[in-house]
Amino acid sequence: MAVIPSLSSKQVKTFMEAAVKEAEAAGKRGEVPIGAVIVKDGQIIASAGNRREEDQKTDAHAEMHAILKANEIMGSWRLEETALFVTLEPCLMCAGAILNARIPLVYFGAQDKKAGAVTSLYSVFDDDRLNHQVKVVPGVLKEESAALLKTFFQGLRAKQKAAKKALKESAARGFEKGAQAEK
Amino acid sequence: MAVIPSLSSKQVKTFMEAAVKEAEAAGKRGEVPIGAVIVKDGQIIASAGNRREEDQKTDAHAEMHAILKANEIMGSWRLEETALFVTLEPCLMCAGAILNARIPLVYFGAQDKKAGAVTSLYSVFDDDRLNHQVKVVPGVLKEESAALLKTFFQGLRAKQKAAKKALKESAARGFEKGAQAEK
């Protein structure tokens, strides 16, 4: 039987705040702002932010990096008696890694309606055909987690719009120049 | 629209044979014998075997290692226009990584009825709610792939039985010694 860590509501808030900080730092590096921490015996043993663009690695989601760091700390691919905190609902890859790592407890912030594998599209943590189940607590600091993502994507869209406008203007200038050259 | 590589049946056999060789090598290292290769433009660009026990990393499945190698070769977290060959049906983590990498085509050998996320427990490659779908061809060299796993687990069980027997005998000897000392 998996040992599920027992955490106070104060601890839960503190650990998710640490995950939010990782998400903020990821956003500042130009990554989709998602952060994760892993806790054992009431202490953070690993923390990471999304690094997919920087690393250009498929697995560079916050949860995967946190899991790999915790593997090193614990010297094992099994992360029993830990809890994982992440600002966004895990995708299939990360939820699968959490299952493979035998992590017994996951807290997440915002829901991911397009790719979430825990409550949105799938409920893989609650599948008794698998050899492990995970207790999941959704919605912790969900407003903060979602706001970071919203601001990031608004900024991205504004940048894309500005770039499109600049390209259009530069093409128009090129056309004018061409027209002048033809004169 | 994803470009799905077109491979001849001879190529498919050759590439799966390469995955089987990776699985055999993994088995010789004491790992569960699973192997994978990734192909682009008719060439193997990455190959890997399971290394979970050696690395003690949750993500050290054959497919994940092959994906990470291909990321390096292609300089991108996206592995478009590639095909992945793996001797065992991918688990949720690996299937999720294949989806995240936008790999359009997967061939696998044996089915994994306990954890397979592609045809056994889930059909995640065929989920039109996700932003990517994967064409899947199951059962390629399935006998060879399954035989490797069967032999490995038979060997493991034999070793465990022998270890148990040795422990029992040594405990019995300890008891005899204890009984003699009491005399």
Side-chain angles (χ1 to χ4, degrees):
Chain A
M1 192 61 194
V3 176
I4 300 176
S6 172
L7 298 169
S8 70
S9 56
K10 196 182 159 193
Q11 280 179 310
V12 168
K13 191 170 173 275
T14 302
F15 296 139
M16 190 58 97
E17 280 170 351
V20 169
K21 273 194 186 160
E22 284 289 344
E24 284 170 345
K28 282 179 191 157
R29 293 192 308 269
E31 303 281 353
V32 178
I34 303 160
V37 305
I38 294 178
V39 169
K40 190 169 194 295
D41 301 328
Q43 301 284 334
I44 293 174
I45 60 163
S47 60
N50 177 31
R51 311 192 76 92
R52 199 165 63 165
E53 297 307 322
E54 207 175 338
D55 289 0
Q56 288 298 325
K57 293 277 168 72
T58 303
D59 78 335
H61 286 191
E63 302 95 307
M64 293 295 286
H65 270 281
I67 286 171
L68 294 174
K69 283 183 185 177
N71 288 150
E72 274 190 31
I73 300 289
M74 292 177 65
S76 173
W77 60 264
R78 286 172 188 265
L79 303 178
E80 284 159 353
E81 300 182 34
T82 64
L84 183 142
F85 291 75
V86 57
T87 57
L88 184 68
E89 183 184 354
C91 71
L92 279 166
M93 173 182 77
C94 293
I98 289 163
L99 284 162
N100 289 351
R102 315 283 196 269
I103 294 173
L105 178 59
V106 166
Y107 294 84
F108 75 81
Q111 267 199 318
D112 185 352
K113 288 182 182 169
K114 289 184 181 171
V118 177
T119 60
S120 294
L121 302 186
Y122 294 91
S123 306
V124 300
F125 287 168
D126 192 30
D127 183 346
D128 59 14
R129 298 171 303 171
L130 297 171
N131 64 355
H132 179 69
Q133 286 76 42
V134 181
K135 186 184 165 190
V136 60
V137 182
V140 182
L141 299 191
K142 67 175 172 181
E143 284 81 11
E144 291 85 336
S145 300
L148 277 175
L149 289 161
K150 199 178 166 189
T151 308
F152 177 83
F153 284 111
Q154 277 173 343
L156 201 66
R157 275 193 293 271
K159 268 186 205 162
Q160 282 170 341
K161 214 174 159 183
K164 215 173 168 182
K165 200 182 161 194
L167 198 72
K168 222 173 175 179
E169 283 174 359
S170 123
R173 275 199 301 277
F175 178 75
E176 277 167 26
K177 272 187 195 167
Q180 280 172 351
E182 275 176 25
K183 274 182 191 169
Chain B
M1 194 61 193
V3 177
I4 299 175
S6 173
L7 298 170
S8 70
S9 57
K10 195 181 158 196
Q11 279 178 310
V12 168
K13 189 170 173 276
T14 303
F15 296 140
M16 191 60 96
E17 279 170 352
V20 169
K21 273 195 184 160
E22 285 289 343
E24 283 170 346
K28 281 178 190 159
R29 294 192 306 269
E31 302 280 353
V32 178
I34 304 162
V37 304
I38 295 178
V39 168
K40 192 170 193 299
D41 301 327
Q43 302 284 333
I44 292 174
I45 60 164
S47 60
N50 177 30
R51 310 191 76 91
R52 200 164 63 165
E53 297 307 323
E54 207 175 338
D55 289 1
Q56 288 298 324
K57 292 278 168 73
T58 303
D59 78 336
H61 287 190
E63 303 96 306
M64 292 296 287
H65 270 282
I67 286 171
L68 293 175
K69 283 183 185 176
N71 288 150
E72 273 190 32
I73 301 289
M74 292 177 66
S76 174
W77 60 263
R78 286 170 188 266
L79 303 178
E80 284 159 354
E81 300 180 35
T82 63
L84 184 143
F85 292 74
V86 58
T87 57
L88 184 67
E89 182 184 354
C91 72
L92 279 167
M93 174 181 75
C94 294
I98 289 164
L99 284 163
N100 289 351
R102 314 284 197 271
I103 294 173
L105 178 60
V106 166
Y107 295 83
F108 75 82
Q111 269 200 315
D112 185 351
K113 287 181 183 170
K114 287 184 183 170
V118 177
T119 61
S120 295
L121 301 187
Y122 293 91
S123 306
V124 301
F125 287 167
D126 192 30
D127 183 346
D128 58 15
R129 299 171 303 171
L130 297 171
N131 64 356
H132 180 69
Q133 285 76 43
V134 181
K135 188 184 164 187
V136 60
V137 183
V140 183
L141 299 191
K142 67 176 174 182
E143 285 81 9
E144 292 85 335
S145 301
L148 277 175
L149 289 161
K150 198 179 166 188
T151 308
F152 177 84
F153 284 111
Q154 276 173 344
L156 199 66
R157 274 193 293 272
K159 267 186 205 163
Q160 282 170 341
K161 212 173 160 185
K164 214 171 166 183
K165 197 181 163 195
L167 197 71
K168 221 171 172 179
E169 284 174 359
S170 124
R173 276 200 299 277
F175 178 76
E176 279 168 26
K177 272 187 192 169
Q180 281 171 350
E182 275 177 25
K183 275 182 195 172

